[in-house]
Amino acid sequence: MSQSVAELDANQVASDKPTGYQRGSYRSWIAVAGGLIGAFMAILDIQITNASMKEIQGSLGATLEEGSWIATAYLVAEMIAIPLSGWLSTGLSTRRYLLWTTAAFIVASILCSMSWNLESMIAFRALQGFFGGALIPLAFRLILEFLPDSKRAMGMALFGVTATFAPSIGPTLGGWLTEQFSWHYLFYINVPPGILVMVMLAYGLERKPIIWDKLKNADYSGIITMALGMGCLEVVLEEGNRKDWFGSDLIRNLAIIAVINIGLFIWIQLRKPQPLVNIRLLGQRDFALSTVAYFLLGMALFGAIYLIPLYLSQIHDYTPLEIGEVIMWMGFPQLLVLPLVPKLMQRFDPRYLAAIGFALFSISYYMNSHMTIDYAGDQMITAQIVRALGQPFILVPIGILATMHLKAHENASASTVLNVMRNLGGAFGIALVATLSDNLSRMHLAHIKETLPAVSAQAYQYINDTTSILQSAGSDVVSANAQAYALLAKSMTQQAYVQAYNDVFFIMSCLLFIAVIAVLLIRKPLEKSGSDQPNEVH
């Protein structure tokens, strides 16, 4: 173990010699930029199909429930790929692994556009998710290994664009492409940037030989338990609410498999001298608290991206493109703030900046917790902007705080754990808000029905007035009366859902204050003395 660690640190030192590939060089920046574009594509593809799901389902002859597996397949495969990225990139070399996975991602995207039925689409989306999943942690790792300490905040700011901007513009871009062209262009769009990524990585990364011993001596027990555990957990979280959670045999069985295999995976990793993922990093206070913050960030980010379109489509019948025009306000304003965050980190404690970011995110949720039936997209934009302003203050400082005390050989595991936690947080967030909104809406509807006799005079007046209006529009008395009762029921249901959404927004606002506490408990960063220290912090 000590020998392999020493070799890795020696390689890191060697990479800092003036060879054209040293940290902070022109080639290093090209490699980082290529990795970030690749990660942007992979994260964008999580959300880009959501706005066009009806068109895809119609073309493939799938039902709404069957179509949900198109997104689930991508997420499951991505979740499995992320923990494998450290081992494979070390054995194959970062350059070779990224070039292969990017090429495979492009091919999988083209195959998705050529899908002839639901089964082929699910299979190709799984391939796309698996190869795309490798691009996300590797982009984070390139920032740690190829940029000097003085520029790492700038790198984290750019990574913040991929992690938060891509999901927020995914529905907008997807809706526009489908409306202007067809749903096939959701996948064609990956080809040009994918080729650009390959060119940039081929130029920016140094050729290195394959380490066959690393590949042969793989932690196969860890790989199998991780794949089964994380894959089943992702399916449980994505499909649980649609299938009534543990009322479904499928969800119950998958949950049991997930718990057993994740438990085995953790036990195996703690016993292995060279584990697939070094989860011992979670024993370090600062890293553990940072992973909690990453988890809650994923929960809040993807929870909002799920909840707001659901509200706008269900209550106000917004089209996918109209929803995208609201969601994009969670993305574009942060581009104005991101360049400022590295400069602010030079003057202010990054813990406080991260706490401010989470507080702004919490406030934005609270701003949406007092909605009425008339609260639509225009009224949501202010909260979206506050959300967008908070995100850059989270990702950049947290990335620095999480990795400030780690060694060079811990890069791969740190990147893996942080990105898995953000993705898991997103899956938990979507599952939580979906379940809460359904259960709370039923509770509020039952309460409204119970109180209806107390306001029967108003209800009776509403029925009479609506019936009269419908009769004047040409309906007969019986039809007009039936339609009036149906409209009253619809109004009651909408009111119940609005109250439920208010409750969910408030609950999410409260949960985000846990993240504020977590980042404030992280130890104060050490002052840098002099030049960068590549072996001290990657």
Side-chain angles (χ1 to χ4, degrees):
M1 175 64 177
S2 60
Q3 183 180 358
S4 63
V5 169
E7 289 174 355
L8 286 168
D9 283 338
N11 290 338
Q12 180 68 26
V13 173
S15 69
D16 291 325
K17 295 178 181 178
T19 61
Y21 294 99
Q22 69 270 24
R23 299 176 75 196
S25 68
Y26 176 73
R27 285 195 168 196
S28 293
W29 277 103
I30 293 292
V32 169
L36 288 169
I37 296 171
F40 187 91
M41 287 194 307
I43 297 174
L44 182 74
D45 271 48
I46 298 173
Q47 299 290 336
I48 200 169
T49 59
N50 290 358
S52 309
M53 200 56 73
K54 288 183 180 178
E55 289 79 2
I56 297 174
Q57 290 165 357
S59 177
L60 300 178
T63 64
L64 181 64
E65 184 172 348
E66 291 171 340
S68 69
W69 286 96
I70 296 172
T72 300
Y74 186 96
L75 290 167
V76 169
E78 181 187 68
M79 187 63 77
I80 293 171
I82 291 175
L84 295 175
S85 61
W87 163 59
L88 288 172
S89 61
T90 303
L92 293 172
S93 83
T94 304
R95 182 182 189 272
R96 185 177 289 105
Y97 181 57
L98 277 175
L99 288 175
W100 287 3
T101 53
T102 305
F105 181 79
I106 295 171
V107 172
S109 298
I110 295 172
L111 289 173
C112 285
S113 69
M114 299 168 60
S115 300
W116 55 90
N117 57 25
L118 178 66
E119 290 76 15
S120 62
M121 173 62 84
I122 291 173
F124 297 145
R125 276 287 279 176
L127 284 175
Q128 192 189 32
F130 184 81
F131 295 116
L135 300 174
I136 301 169
L138 265 295
F140 190 94
R141 182 176 167 187
L142 289 177
I143 292 169
L144 298 179
E145 294 185 347
F146 286 83
L147 298 185
D149 292 352
S150 59
K151 300 297 182 184
R152 189 169 297 156
M154 185 184 299
M156 290 297 174
L158 294 171
F159 185 78
V161 175
T162 70
T164 60
F165 184 62
S168 61
I169 68 161
T172 312
L173 181 60
W176 182 81
L177 285 170
T178 302
E179 191 171 287
Q180 296 298 318
F181 305 101
S182 74
W183 64 265
H184 302 83
Y185 283 82
L186 303 177
F187 305 106
Y188 294 150
I189 196 175
N190 289 325
V191 177
I195 294 172
L196 175 64
V197 167
M198 293 185 68
V199 172
M200 296 173 77
L201 293 174
Y203 174 77
L205 296 175
E206 187 176 5
R207 293 177 183 270
K208 291 183 178 180
I210 296 175
I211 305 175
W212 292 106
D213 287 342
K214 181 71 177 177
L215 296 176
K216 291 176 183 176
N217 299 325
D219 179 10
Y220 291 110
S221 58
I223 292 172
I224 293 170
T225 53
M226 178 278 300
L228 284 172
M230 300 302 290
C232 290
L233 177 60
E234 188 71 33
V235 174
V236 168
L237 293 173
E238 288 294 321
E239 298 293 327
N241 188 58
R242 279 187 284 265
K243 297 184 181 299
D244 191 30
W245 290 105
F246 298 113
S248 163
D249 289 339
L250 173 66
I251 297 301
R252 187 168 55 251
N253 292 336
L254 289 177
I256 293 170
I257 295 171
V259 169
I260 292 172
N261 281 278
I262 290 174
L264 286 172
F265 175 72
I266 294 171
W267 181 73
I268 290 167
Q269 298 309 290
L270 291 174
R271 290 173 59 86
K272 289 271 186 179
Q274 296 187 37
L276 180 69
V277 179
N278 183 13
I279 59 176
R280 294 185 186 90
L281 293 177
L282 292 171
Q284 301 185 28
R285 170 182 165 181
D286 301 322
F287 187 79
L289 289 169
S290 298
T291 59
V292 172
Y294 256 78
F295 181 87
L296 291 168
L297 172 64
M299 179 183 288
L301 177 64
F302 286 94
I305 291 172
Y306 176 86
L307 198 57
I308 292 168
L310 190 65
Y311 169 81
L312 292 173
S313 62
Q314 192 171 42
I315 304 301
H316 296 287
D317 296 321
Y318 270 42
T319 65
L321 195 55
E322 289 172 332
I323 292 171
E325 290 170 355
V326 177
I327 289 289
M328 71 180 184
W329 285 100
M330 193 165 63
F332 285 108
Q334 67 179 285
L335 298 180
L336 302 176
V337 181
L338 273 168
L340 304 177
V341 177
K343 296 183 183 299
L344 290 172
M345 287 183 63
Q346 295 173 5
R347 299 188 59 185
F348 301 101
D349 190 326
R351 298 174 303 167
Y352 299 146
L353 294 178
I356 290 170
F358 276 115
L360 286 172
F361 218 141
S362 175
I363 290 168
S364 72
Y365 266 102
Y366 183 76
M367 291 170 68
N368 290 138
S369 66
H370 298 84
M371 299 185 296
T372 65
I373 197 72
D374 299 320
Y375 201 96
D378 291 341
Q379 289 74 37
M380 300 191 95
I381 289 176
T382 303
Q384 293 288 83
I385 293 173
V386 173
R387 209 166 277 139
L389 295 177
Q391 290 172 20
F393 289 100
I394 298 172
L395 264 173
V396 183
I398 288 297
I400 300 297
L401 292 168
T403 58
M404 63 184 174
H405 296 301
L406 303 184
K407 304 297 183 184
H409 63 272
E410 295 169 331
N411 285 344
S413 290
S415 176
T416 294
V417 172
L418 290 172
N419 282 284
V420 164
M421 291 303 289
R422 192 188 69 248
N423 279 22
L424 267 183
F428 270 99
I430 292 172
L432 178 65
V433 299
T435 303
L436 284 175
S437 57
D438 283 351
N439 292 341
L440 290 172
S441 62
R442 285 195 289 267
M443 184 186 75
H444 284 299
L445 183 58
H447 179 70
I448 291 172
K449 288 179 178 178
E450 287 174 3
T451 58
L452 193 61
V455 291
S456 56
Q458 292 94 319
Y460 182 74
Q461 187 63 42
Y462 174 87
I463 293 294
N464 283 342
D465 292 345
T466 306
T467 300
S468 299
I469 293 170
L470 291 170
Q471 279 185 278
S472 63
S475 296
D476 58 77
V477 177
V478 176
S479 298
N481 191 253
Q483 288 175 322
Y485 273 101
L487 288 171
L488 177 61
K490 180 181 178 181
S491 177
M492 291 165 58
T493 302
Q494 284 184 324
Q495 290 288 352
Y497 267 107
V498 171
Q499 292 179 43
Y501 288 128
N502 285 340
D503 291 343
V504 175
F505 277 117
F506 182 76
I507 291 168
M508 294 296 288
S509 175
C510 294
L511 286 174
L512 278 168
F513 267 98
I514 298 175
V516 175
I517 297 169
V519 296
L520 291 176
L521 289 174
I522 294 174
R523 288 175 295 174
K524 185 178 180 179
L526 298 173
E527 295 291 334
K528 296 292 181 186
S529 58
S531 60
D532 296 327
Q533 302 170 17
N535 289 335
E536 178 64 21
V537 190
H538 307 286

